[in-house]
Amino acid sequence: MLDNLLILIVSGLFSGFLAGLLGIGGGTVLVPLLVTLGYIPVQAVATSSLAIVITSLSGSLQNWRMGYLDLQRVILLGSPALITAQFGVYISNLLPDYMLLTSLGILLIINVFLGNLRQRLATRPTSTSTKTAKIFPIIARLGTGGTAGFLAGLFGIGGGVIIVPLQILFLEETLKIAIQTSLGVIVMTTVSATIGHASQGNVLFPIGLILGAGGLVGSRISTSLLPKLPNRVVQFCFCGLLAILAVYTFWQAWQSYSRT
């Protein structure tokens, strides 16, 4: 029991550290770790959602105090996510364990390419508007927020790695505004996902609270470290970690499939 508690504390610290350092939502790390500890995938997804609520809420409150959080943007993007998160929860309860893990592995691989896309978009000259943003603003916001919500419910991730490039591409937001807004949206998506999973009895509340508390500490440490690291080093660590986690998640999926 004590060993598991220590592992959970370290896991929370590690996921928070990576979230602050690489911009990776804690769920990409926590879900595989919880499955390794013996929890079924849907419990890992649900409990990860609770942990992310804590860390994203802390970051959003800090942005709000500093005047960097536009609540109108957050509400417009987060509102559709409240609904689509429930669809993700529903599907996660229907999928066999190996299919849920395989899908998460595929998402991690996609995130590698999206992370590279985000880096390129960050250096792109920004304009005040685009044809897409002018003509289809409601569709763009519904699609962006809805995607984040669905992924939060299905995989127990915040969706920041995906929603940030979508905001830049379709809503013409700067990288900084996109990151700050996405963190607020993640609060809404993960709260919705946690409520949905809790109604199904999937959330392990003591474990989620421990992981979330550890994530708070870890993210504060990495946030102070990040400015000192070269961008190339950060990008290499980002892609390398996601690739390793994807391979490991595929292996867990195969193990789960072999037991069926």
Side-chain angles (χ1 to χ4, degrees), residues 108-156:
L108 292 174
I109 295 296
I110 293 173
N111 278 352
V112 173
F113 296 100
L114 286 176
N116 289 326
L117 174 62
R118 189 174 74 173
Q119 290 292 328
R120 291 196 295 271
L121 289 174
T123 60
R124 186 190 66 176
T126 57
S127 59
T128 56
S129 64
T130 63
K131 187 175 182 180
T132 302
K134 280 183 176 179
I135 300 177
F136 305 117
I138 296 177
I139 295 176
R141 292 187 183 280
L142 287 175
T144 301
T147 299
F150 180 76
L151 293 174
L154 183 60
F155 296 120

Side-chain angles (χ1 to χ4, degrees), residues 15-223:
S15 66
F17 182 82
L18 292 176
L21 186 66
L22 304 179
I24 299 174
T28 57
V29 176
L30 292 179
V31 173
L33 282 172
L34 287 171
V35 172
T36 300
L37 292 176
Y39 301 103
I40 62 175
V42 72
Q43 287 180 329
V45 166
T47 306
S48 170
S49 296
L50 174 59
I52 296 172
V53 169
I54 298 171
T55 54
S56 60
L57 181 60
S58 174
S60 292
L61 287 174
Q62 182 68 15
N63 283 335
W64 178 69
R65 290 193 194 100
M66 298 172 67
Y68 295 145
L69 188 64
D70 188 330
L71 292 178
Q72 184 177 7
R73 289 177 184 270
V74 171
I75 292 172
L76 287 174
L77 279 173
S79 296
L82 294 176
I83 299 172
T84 56
Q86 300 308 315
F87 286 104
V89 170
Y90 177 74
I91 292 176
S92 70
N93 280 279
L94 294 179
L95 290 177
D97 291 349
Y98 70 90
M99 288 187 63
L100 186 60
L101 290 171
T102 300
S103 301
L104 177 59
I106 293 172
L107 180 66
L108 292 174
I109 295 296
I110 293 173
N111 278 352
V112 173
F113 296 100
L114 286 176
N116 289 326
L117 174 62
R118 189 174 74 173
Q119 290 292 328
R120 291 196 295 271
L121 289 174
T123 60
R124 186 190 66 176
T126 57
S127 59
T128 56
S129 64
T130 63
K131 187 175 182 180
T132 302
K134 280 183 176 179
I135 300 177
F136 305 117
I138 296 177
I139 295 176
R141 292 187 183 280
L142 287 175
T144 301
T147 299
F150 180 76
L151 293 174
L154 183 60
F155 296 120
I157 65 175
V161 177
I162 290 178
I163 194 175
V164 169
L166 291 179
Q167 286 174 260
I168 297 172
L169 279 172
F170 297 119
L171 303 179
E172 277 299 295
E173 294 179 350
T174 65
L175 178 63
K176 183 179 291 186
I177 291 175
I179 291 173
Q180 291 161 348
T181 303
S182 71
L183 192 60
V185 174
I186 287 169
V187 175
M188 298 178 67
T189 60
T190 50
V191 166
S192 178
T194 300
I195 292 172
H197 278 296
S199 68
Q200 301 292 324
N202 297 327
V203 180
L204 306 172
F205 283 95
I207 294 172
L209 293 174
I210 292 171
L211 291 171
L216 287 178
V217 177
S219 62
R220 289 184 179 276
I221 296 173
S222 57
T223 301

